[in-house]
Amino acid sequence: MSGAWWRESRDVERFALVGLAVAMVVAAVLLLAETRGLTLLVDEWSWGYAGRTDLDLHAFVDPHNGHFVAVMVLITKAALQLFHEDAETPLRLLAVALHLAVAACLFALLRQALGALGALVPTVLFLFLGAANDGIVGSHGMSVTITVLCGLGAWLALQRRRTGWDAVAAGLLTIGVATESTVLPFVFAAALIVALDRESPRSRYWVAIAPLAVYAVWWLAWGHTEKSDVAIANFAALPSFAFDSLAASLASVTGVFTIPGSRTVGFDLAAGQALAGGMLMVLLALVLARRYRPGVASAVPMLALLSFWLLTSGVANPARQPYSSRFIYIDVVLLLLVLAQEIAASPVRRRAVPILAGICALGLSPNVRELTYAGDGARVGAEVNRAVMGAADLLAGQGEASALLEDPRDPIEGQVADLAFPLERYEASRDRFGAPALSPAQIEAADPVARVAADHFLVRALSISVVPAAGLPRPLSAPAGASQTGGVLTHARGCLRFTPLVVGAQMTLRLPLGGLWLRPAAGPPVPISVARFAEGPAGGVGVGPALGGRASRLDLPRSRASRGWSAQLVPDQRLLICGA
């Protein structure tokens, strides 16, 4: 990394440092406010709560989506042991602190090329990088933050050219290796730092070799045991993946990734692709005119960026696209470092620095907006988790032990099924650590998505379903509280008879304990859905149709969680409803 190409007065440097400190405070306050009330999210549940619950070696060395995640397991386990169901609060504070530390390292490296004032605005943009929200909203993306911090910290330590600092660099890279594989591009670039330093003895390569050796030992012993997501065919699409990665980075920095009119997290790559295409055309023209050659100092972040694109392209799938926010977190850091070094080496650097600052300033507002939308989404996800846990607590040991708290196959828009583990595992972890569950009254007041998710889980755990009726009907044991639209509802001998008069006629009624006995007249199957916490027809959980011309039973086992259910039926023919 080259030194700054101008000398700034102490007042200018002081102004930049004060500005950075203020921006850090504002970013910390915003991130903590937008992540209030979160639970553990996504992968965090498997790092000590519902998975890897033992303290044996395998808890730390078994691969997770192809990564060595010992550091994340250690951090999560420690938080659970110390803070139990409140573990997310200290984890969230740690995640924010780590993000600020990455920004400080980025500022230090940008400052070497652009000066303190020139480094300020790009660093402020990074602090509020909403396009990379998955890495900074909550603590579930902390693994990416740690790897970037370890990588940049190692680069800074290597610049000291001292044995002690080399040991620090090697230690940081080793921590990064044990956190997530995304640190590998930073390890490769660390080796290049040594290679480019003419004053360095070749023996300094051990700084990169040591963490690579740790990774190789882990992969040979444990990492290869997991089915790899790497597909050789993906590498054939590397040019397209790299181009879209550049486009996503440029769109994030300039703020042109936002979707007009949208009020949720989203990423529009089209404008970024136009920017990437224009940039590549300009670079090609400059190279052909022999007026441009890449600077030597930019080789380090350039190698890291290119190797990151190579590695991530190999695992590309619908969930791992170039605009994935975790990828953007790393892409933007490295792209800013490449641009800074190229600007510092260019003859138009005095004009380019303000231009870069202006572009980053324009991109700030869209990124802040995306950050707030991501916070909204994360809080809904946390409320879903709390509601499902509250529903599980209603069962009091009476539910189906193998029922998943959240099933990825549930047709719930807006739900992230991160509690995809069985009830029995939840109950064991709840007894050990507690659980941030909602009470029934709180579930009823929760977000609609949370209420629907709670009902889906209860249907699974209680095995509520429509089955052929084997016995005779019984009178309804309590007032059914029935209502209807589009038909005629009559009472006869303790049963209800519904006669639809229009297409789409429907009726609802409270479910008695034990369930219902149903007999539709000959005709098409009758759709049936049930709900306890959810409201409206769209919120019901489908439990299967009652076949026309046959007697069926809607089972509702007797349990604490079986009270308060209602059923909705949409028949095209006459329907007789009695007690089961």
Side-chain angles (χ1 to χ4, degrees):
M1 301 284 183
S2 65
W5 44 270
W6 66 50
R7 291 187 177 276
E8 296 174 312
S9 69
R10 291 185 178 179
D11 289 341
V12 170
E13 287 192 356
R14 189 179 297 112
F15 172 81
L17 293 174
V18 170
L20 179 62
V22 171
M24 284 184 168
V25 171
V26 174
V29 171
L30 177 62
L31 287 172
L32 292 174
E34 290 297 334
T35 56
R36 62 192 181 277
L38 293 193
T39 61
L40 300 178
L41 293 172
V42 197
D43 295 334
E44 289 180 299
W45 293 109
S46 63
W47 290 338
Y49 190 89
R52 303 177 190 253
T53 54
D54 296 328
L55 287 174
D56 60 1
L57 180 63
H58 285 282
F60 297 93
V61 299
D62 283 351
H64 179 82
N65 294 331
H67 299 291
F68 184 13
V69 293
V71 171
M72 294 308 305
V73 173
L74 179 63
I75 291 173
T76 308
K77 278 181 170 291
L80 287 168
Q81 289 292 337
L82 293 172
F83 303 100
H84 301 287
E85 69 268 22
D86 297 322
E88 177 57 23
T89 298
L91 288 173
R92 193 161 51 98
L93 292 170
L94 177 60
V96 171
L98 289 170
H99 177 58
L100 299 185
V102 173
C105 290
L106 176 63
F107 177 80
L109 291 168
L110 291 175
R111 180 182 184 182
Q112 295 173 2
L114 305 178
L117 193 60
L120 177 60
V121 179
T123 306
V124 170
L125 171 68
F126 174 75
L127 281 169
F128 298 91
L129 193 64
N133 57 80
D134 198 41
I136 57 179
V137 173
S139 58
H140 62 285
M142 200 191 320
S143 56
V144 173
T145 314
I146 292 175
T147 56
V148 177
L149 178 61
C150 289
L152 298 185
W155 292 0
L156 289 168
L158 282 171
Q159 293 179 0
R160 301 297 184 96
R161 297 193 182 93
R162 294 181 182 177
T163 303
W165 284 106
D166 285 354
V168 170
L172 287 171
L173 294 175
T174 303
I175 292 172
V177 160
T179 303
E180 193 174 272
S181 304
T182 48
V183 79
L184 293 177
F186 294 91
V187 180
F188 303 152
L192 183 60
I193 290 176
V194 175
L196 293 176
D197 188 351
R198 296 180 179 178
E199 300 179 8
S200 291
R202 300 301 94 177
S203 60
R204 291 185 75 201
Y205 280 119
W206 75 270
V207 173
I209 293 173
L212 289 176
V214 170
Y215 183 81
V217 169
W218 168 80
W219 190 87
L220 291 172
W222 300 283
H224 74 282
T225 60
E226 184 181 55
K227 182 180 178 181
S228 176
D229 290 333
V230 176
I232 300 301
N234 284 347
F235 292 109
L238 176 59
S240 174
F241 189 94
F243 178 80
D244 284 346
S245 296
L246 175 62
S249 304
L250 292 172
S252 301
V253 171
T254 57
V256 296
F257 63 91
T258 54
I259 301 174
S262 173
R263 295 295 181 270
T264 59
V265 172
F267 200 99
D268 186 354
L269 193 60
Q273 290 172 324
L275 288 174
M279 173 181 281
L280 293 177
M281 292 296 292
V282 170
L283 288 176
L284 179 61
L286 290 173
V287 169
L288 292 177
R290 298 184 179 181
R291 295 179 180 177
Y292 171 76
R293 291 291 182 273
V296 175
S298 64
V300 172
M302 180 65 75
L303 172 64
L305 187 61
L306 294 177
S307 58
F308 180 66
W309 290 346
L310 174 64
L311 293 175
T312 50
S313 70
V315 295
N317 60 43
R320 294 174 177 172
Q321 292 298 303
Y323 48 82
S324 298
S325 60
R326 289 192 176 198
F327 292 172
I328 288 173
Y329 191 91
I330 299 175
D331 281 342
V332 168
V333 167
L334 297 175
L335 178 65
L336 287 174
L337 290 173
V338 170
L339 292 176
Q341 294 297 341
E342 287 301 300
I343 287 173
S346 72
V348 294
R349 51 185 176 265
R350 292 189 179 276
R351 284 173 289 177
V353 170
I355 291 174
L356 177 62
I359 291 172
C360 292
L362 289 174
L364 184 59
S365 177
N367 275 283
V368 172
R369 188 190 82 157
E370 195 75 358
L371 201 59
T372 60
Y373 291 168
D376 293 341
R379 289 194 298 276
V380 170
E383 193 167 42
V384 169
N385 289 343
R386 294 179 189 274
V388 172
M389 290 178 175
D393 290 347
L394 278 175
L395 295 169
Q398 296 178 317
E400 176 62 44
S402 62
L404 298 179
L405 268 70
E406 293 180 340
D407 192 325
R409 295 169 296 182
D410 287 343
I412 306 175
E413 185 177 355
Q415 178 194 23
V416 177
D418 52 356
L419 302 184
F421 49 86
L423 174 62
E424 59 184 350
R425 189 179 302 176
Y426 164 71
E427 291 175 336
S429 297
R430 178 196 60 197
D431 294 342
R432 182 179 180 185
F433 301 116
L438 297 181
S439 67
Q442 290 173 322
I443 298 175
E444 291 173 357
D447 186 270
V449 176
R451 300 200 301 271
V452 172
D455 282 355
H456 271 270
F457 163 69
L458 287 174
V459 167
R460 280 193 299 275
L462 294 172
S463 299
I464 302 175
S465 61
V466 176
V467 297
L472 296 174
R474 298 178 181 178
L476 290 170
S477 57
S483 62
Q484 60 79 31
T485 57
V488 176
L489 187 63
T490 58
H491 298 258
R493 298 180 181 180
C495 296
L496 297 172
R497 187 181 299 276
F498 179 61
T499 304
L501 300 178
V502 297
V503 176
Q506 57 187 331
M507 65 167 295
T508 60
L509 73 161
R510 291 195 298 271
L511 277 178
L513 293 179
L516 297 174
W517 185 93
L518 312 164
R519 190 177 67 191
V526 177
I528 302 175
S529 60
V530 297
R532 188 188 194 281
F533 293 108
E535 296 180 359
V541 182
V543 292
L547 298 181
R550 300 182 184 181
S552 299
R553 191 177 72 248
L554 172 55
D555 279 339
L556 180 65
R558 297 180 182 274
S559 163
R560 178 189 172 195
S562 296
R563 300 185 182 277
W565 287 88
S566 63
Q568 181 188 67
L569 305 97
V570 188
D572 290 329
Q573 68 271 51
R574 290 191 306 275
L575 175 64
L576 180 64
I577 306 169
C578 304

